[in-house]
Protein backbone atom coordinates (compact mmCIF):
# COMPACT_ATOMS: atom_id res chain seq x y z
CA UNK A 1 0.00 0.00 0.00
CA UNK A 2 1.17 3.48 -0.83
CA UNK A 3 1.03 6.21 1.77
CA UNK A 4 -0.14 9.39 0.08
CA UNK A 5 -0.03 12.75 1.86
CA UNK A 6 -2.01 15.77 0.70
CA UNK A 7 -0.87 19.08 2.08
CA UNK A 8 -1.80 22.75 2.03
CA UNK A 9 0.71 25.28 0.69
CA UNK A 10 2.29 26.02 4.09
CA UNK A 11 2.24 22.40 5.22
CA UNK A 12 0.41 22.69 8.55
CA UNK A 13 -2.78 20.97 7.28
CA UNK A 14 -2.40 17.47 5.87
CA UNK A 15 -4.60 14.55 4.89
CA UNK A 16 -2.88 11.19 4.62
CA UNK A 17 -4.18 7.84 3.48
CA UNK A 18 -2.96 4.41 2.44
CA UNK A 19 -6.22 3.64 0.65
CA UNK A 20 -6.64 3.75 -3.11
CA UNK A 21 -9.09 6.40 -4.33
CA UNK A 22 -12.62 5.11 -4.98
CA UNK A 23 -13.30 7.82 -7.56
CA UNK A 24 -11.00 10.23 -9.39
CA UNK A 25 -12.70 12.99 -11.35
CA UNK A 26 -12.40 16.44 -12.81
CA UNK A 27 -15.13 19.06 -12.61
CA UNK A 28 -15.39 22.03 -14.93
CA UNK A 29 -18.15 23.88 -13.02
CA UNK A 30 -17.66 27.57 -12.31
CA UNK A 31 -17.60 27.01 -8.53
CA UNK A 32 -14.68 24.60 -8.88
CA UNK A 33 -12.94 27.09 -11.14
CA UNK A 34 -13.36 29.82 -8.50
CA UNK A 35 -12.32 27.58 -5.61
CA UNK A 36 -9.17 26.29 -7.26
CA UNK A 37 -8.19 29.32 -9.32
CA UNK A 38 -7.63 26.84 -12.12
CA UNK A 39 -9.86 26.11 -15.12
CA UNK A 40 -11.16 22.87 -13.61
CA UNK A 41 -11.08 21.06 -10.30
CA UNK A 42 -9.48 17.62 -10.01
CA UNK A 43 -10.27 15.54 -6.97
CA UNK A 44 -10.06 12.03 -5.58
CA UNK A 45 -12.49 10.49 -3.13
CA UNK A 46 -11.35 8.12 -0.38
CA UNK A 47 -13.18 6.23 2.37
CA UNK A 48 -13.28 8.77 5.21
CA UNK A 49 -12.18 6.15 7.71
CA UNK A 50 -8.94 5.67 5.76
CA UNK A 51 -7.93 9.34 5.92
CA UNK A 52 -6.01 10.95 8.78
CA UNK A 53 -6.33 14.72 9.03
CA UNK A 54 -3.70 16.69 10.93
CA UNK A 55 -3.51 20.43 11.52
CA UNK A 56 -6.15 23.10 11.90
CA UNK A 57 -8.69 23.99 9.25
CA UNK A 58 -11.53 26.38 8.66
CA UNK A 59 -14.70 25.33 6.91
CA UNK A 60 -16.51 26.98 4.03
CA UNK A 61 -19.95 25.64 3.20
CA UNK A 62 -21.20 26.05 -0.35
CA UNK A 63 -24.71 25.09 -1.39
CA UNK A 64 -24.62 23.41 -4.80
CA UNK A 65 -27.24 23.97 -7.52
CA UNK A 66 -28.77 20.69 -6.38
CA UNK A 67 -29.27 22.10 -2.87
CA UNK A 68 -26.65 19.76 -1.44
CA UNK A 69 -24.16 21.35 0.95
CA UNK A 70 -20.45 20.92 0.35
CA UNK A 71 -18.10 21.50 3.28
CA UNK A 72 -14.65 22.62 2.21
CA UNK A 73 -11.88 22.47 4.83
CA UNK A 74 -9.01 24.84 4.16
CA UNK A 75 -5.90 26.02 5.93
CA UNK A 76 -6.55 29.31 7.79
CA UNK A 77 -2.91 30.30 7.24
CA UNK A 78 -2.42 29.78 3.49
CA UNK A 79 -5.99 29.23 2.29
CA UNK A 80 -5.50 25.96 0.43
CA UNK A 81 -8.37 23.45 0.54
CA UNK A 82 -7.10 20.04 1.62
CA UNK A 83 -10.32 18.08 1.83
CA UNK A 84 -14.06 18.40 1.52
CA UNK A 85 -17.19 16.49 2.28
CA UNK A 86 -20.45 16.30 0.37
CA UNK A 87 -23.61 16.28 2.47
CA UNK A 88 -25.10 12.80 2.43
CA UNK A 89 -21.73 11.26 1.51
CA UNK A 90 -19.93 11.84 4.81
CA UNK A 91 -18.30 8.41 4.50
CA UNK A 92 -16.11 9.84 1.72
CA UNK A 93 -13.45 12.55 1.85
CA UNK A 94 -12.67 14.37 -1.38
CA UNK A 95 -9.10 15.60 -1.68
CA UNK A 96 -7.87 17.94 -4.43
CA UNK A 97 -5.39 15.92 -6.49
CA UNK A 98 -2.92 18.78 -6.69
CA UNK A 99 -2.57 18.75 -2.89
CA UNK A 100 -0.69 15.46 -3.24
CA UNK A 101 1.97 17.11 -5.45
CA UNK A 102 2.43 13.71 -7.10
CA UNK A 103 2.55 13.52 -10.89
CA UNK A 104 2.06 9.75 -10.79
CA UNK A 105 -1.33 10.01 -9.06
CA UNK A 106 -4.02 7.91 -10.83
CA UNK A 107 -5.68 9.71 -13.76
CA UNK A 108 -9.31 10.82 -13.57
CA UNK A 109 -12.01 8.47 -14.86
CA UNK A 110 -14.86 10.97 -14.86
CA UNK A 111 -15.20 14.46 -16.29
CA UNK A 112 -18.29 16.41 -15.24
CA UNK A 113 -19.86 19.82 -16.01
CA UNK A 114 -18.25 19.76 -19.45
CA UNK A 115 -20.72 22.43 -20.59
CA UNK A 116 -18.52 24.81 -18.56
CA UNK A 117 -15.26 23.40 -19.93
CA UNK A 118 -12.79 25.88 -21.40
CA UNK A 119 -12.55 25.40 -25.15
CA UNK A 120 -8.83 24.55 -25.11
CA UNK A 121 -9.11 21.84 -22.45
CA UNK A 122 -8.94 18.24 -23.66
CA UNK A 123 -9.66 15.43 -21.20
CA UNK A 124 -8.71 12.02 -22.67
CA UNK A 125 -10.30 8.60 -22.20
CA UNK A 126 -12.78 9.23 -19.46
CA UNK A 127 -16.50 9.12 -18.96
CA UNK A 128 -17.82 12.52 -20.09
CA UNK A 129 -20.88 14.27 -18.75
CA UNK A 130 -22.33 17.65 -19.76
ZN1 LIG B 1 -1.46 26.08 4.97
ZN1 LIG C 1 -17.39 21.55 -9.73
Amino acid sequence: MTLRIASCSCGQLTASTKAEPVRVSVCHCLACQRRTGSVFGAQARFPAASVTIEGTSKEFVRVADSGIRLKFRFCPECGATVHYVVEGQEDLFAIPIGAFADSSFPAPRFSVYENRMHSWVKIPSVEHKP
Side-chain angles (χ1 to χ4, degrees), residues 7-14 56 74-82:
S7 170
C8 67
S9 299
C10 76
Q12 76 82 18
L13 178 61
T14 58
T56 57
F74 62 94
C75 171
E77 297 300 322
C78 71
T81 297
V82 171

Side-chain angles (χ1 to χ4, degrees), residues 1-127:
M1 290 204 288
T2 313
L3 174 65
R4 294 189 174 100
I5 303 172
S7 170
C8 67
S9 299
C10 76
Q12 76 82 18
L13 178 61
T14 58
S16 53
T17 180
K18 287 184 174 174
E20 288 303 306
V22 295
R23 179 186 166 97
V24 183
S25 61
V26 295
C27 180
H28 305 274
C29 85
L30 298 181
C32 283
Q33 294 187 28
R34 279 234 163 80
R35 173 175 57 80
T36 62
S38 186
V39 295
F40 57 84
Q43 53 279 323
R45 288 177 169 77
F46 296 89
S50 76
V51 179
T52 302
I53 307 292
E54 289 181 276
T56 57
S57 61
K58 278 192 75 176
E59 184 173 276
F60 172 69
V61 178
R62 180 170 70 76
V63 181
D65 297 343
S66 57
I68 289 172
R69 292 153 57 89
L70 294 94
K71 302 173 183 177
F72 296 93
R73 278 91 186 235
F74 62 94
C75 171
E77 297 300 322
C78 71
T81 297
V82 171
H83 66 112
Y84 63 91
V85 177
V86 179
E87 188 178 60
Q89 298 178 24
E90 283 84 359
D91 55 333
L92 293 175
F93 277 178
I95 299 178
I97 294 174
F100 289 103
D102 172 8
S103 304
S104 66
F105 195 88
R109 298 197 45 225
F110 301 93
S111 174
V112 303
Y113 271 96
E114 288 194 339
N115 55 354
R116 302 291 200 192
M117 188 166 75
H118 285 232
S119 61
W120 52 267
V121 172
K122 299 283 179 282
I123 307 288
S125 357
V126 295
E127 189 174 309

